[in-house]
């Protein structure tokens, strides 16, 4: 009875290992599919047809128009404030036409008309001061010094980005971790099958010795 009970517990442990392995395999495949549809493909589309260039500031100006932003002052405290629109016009080494500079792709999607969105504060005056500080930075500290910017002629020919949201590191992690999860699942399944096969062979050899 004790021997059959031990064999039953060992088989149950193997079944749990197999289920864990198949679960990791499924999770890895679903993660690859989900990231490919929701993240990796849009990121590659943004990168496709794009590249880097040298940018030089042409003009820095504030528009009279103000835009709304949402601030948070606690779990149940939210409100709306406003900030002025700052535009930084640049010339790229790829084109003589002026382009509007943006912080990154996320800022471009949030407000394509402006170059900078300040951290939203409750006080409109504080938001205006943050925008003015950024305006002075581009006028006085950057000035006519060239800097690296990024563009995409297919999606946004009239806009350039100061940095990319979807850089090589992000794309690598999007692909790496689902693959690692998949491979770990495959490894668990293979090791479990090998262990079961070795156990069966060992039991067969043991029975032959007793005959």
């Amino acid at each position: 009875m004790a021997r059959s009970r031990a064999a039953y517990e060992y088989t149950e442990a193997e079944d749990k290992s197999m289920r864990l392995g198949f679960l990791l395999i499924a999770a890895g495949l679903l993660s690859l599919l989900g990231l490919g549809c929701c993240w990796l493909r849009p990121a590659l589309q943004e990168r496709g047809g794009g590249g880097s260039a040298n940018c030089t500031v042409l003009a820095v100006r504030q528009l009279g128009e103000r835009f709304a932003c949402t601030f948070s002052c606690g779990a149940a405290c939210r409100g709306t404030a406003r900030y002025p629109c700052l535009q930084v016009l640049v010339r790229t080494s790829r084109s003589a036409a002026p382009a509007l500079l943006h912080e990154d792709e996320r800022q471009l999607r949030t407000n394509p008309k402006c170059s900078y969105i300040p951290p939203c504060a409750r006080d409109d005056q504080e938001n205006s001061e943050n925008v003015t500080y950024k305006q002075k930075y581009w006028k006085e500290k950057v000035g006519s010094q060239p800097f690296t910017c990024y563009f995409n002629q297919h999606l946004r020919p009239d806009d350039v980005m100061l940095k990319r949201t979807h850089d090589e590191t992000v794309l690598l992690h999007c692909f790496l971790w689902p693959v690692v999860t998949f491979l770990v699942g495959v490894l668990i399944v293979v090791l479990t099958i090998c262990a079961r096969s070795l156990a069966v062979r060992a039991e067969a050899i043991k029975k032959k010795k007793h005959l």
Side-chain angles (χ1 to χ4, degrees):
M1 177 67 70
R3 291 178 60 186
S4 63
R5 176 65 177 173
Y8 172 77
E9 290 178 351
Y10 182 67
T11 302
E12 186 180 13
E14 285 182 337
D15 291 339
K16 288 182 178 179
S17 297
M18 293 288 287
R19 286 196 295 268
L20 176 61
F22 286 125
L23 179 62
L24 291 176
I25 291 173
L29 292 176
L30 290 176
S31 298
L32 278 176
L33 181 63
L35 289 173
C37 295
C38 301
W39 181 267
L40 189 58
R41 186 174 64 179
L44 292 176
Q45 287 177 349
E46 287 182 0
R47 293 176 62 84
S52 62
N54 288 328
C55 284
T56 306
V57 176
L58 292 176
V60 183
R61 64 193 183 190
Q62 284 192 34
L63 301 182
E65 187 177 0
R66 287 177 171 262
F67 291 87
C69 64
T70 302
F71 65 85
S72 176
C73 50
C77 177
R78 298 175 67 88
T80 302
R82 293 188 171 274
Y83 64 92
C85 181
L86 175 67
Q87 287 189 339
V88 180
L89 298 177
V90 299
R91 177 186 291 117
T92 71
S93 57
R94 299 294 185 94
S95 174
L100 182 61
L101 180 68
H102 300 272
E103 292 283 325
D104 52 28
E105 288 95 343
R106 185 179 295 109
Q107 184 268 314
L108 173 60
R109 290 192 297 267
T110 303
N111 189 342
K113 195 171 183 178
C114 304
S115 297
Y116 175 66
I117 299 176
C120 192
R122 178 184 294 185
D123 186 9
D124 291 354
Q125 181 62 31
E126 183 176 349
N127 292 327
S128 297
E129 290 175 357
N130 288 334
V131 172
T132 301
Y133 174 82
K134 184 64 69 170
Q135 182 179 8
K136 290 181 179 179
Y137 168 80
W138 284 107
K139 277 188 175 181
E140 299 174 4
K141 292 188 176 181
V142 178
S144 59
Q145 298 178 10
F147 58 93
T148 302
C149 61
Y150 302 92
F151 64 92
N152 192 314
Q153 295 294 339
H154 296 332
L155 297 180
R156 291 282 186 174
D158 299 327
D159 298 281
V160 295
M161 273 71 67
L162 186 61
K163 58 184 178 181
R164 279 178 172 153
T165 303
H166 303 119
D167 58 10
E168 288 81 0
T169 304
V170 174
L171 297 180
L172 175 63
H173 284 286
C174 284
F175 179 75
L176 176 63
W177 296 115
V179 170
V180 169
T181 303
F182 175 81
L183 292 178
V184 169
V186 171
L187 182 62
I188 291 175
V189 171
V190 171
L191 290 178
T192 304
I193 293 174
C194 290
R196 178 173 293 180
S197 177
L198 290 175
V200 170
R201 290 184 181 181
E203 186 67 25
I205 293 173
K206 186 177 179 180
K207 288 182 179 180
K208 287 181 180 180
K209 288 182 178 180
H210 286 291
L211 291 178

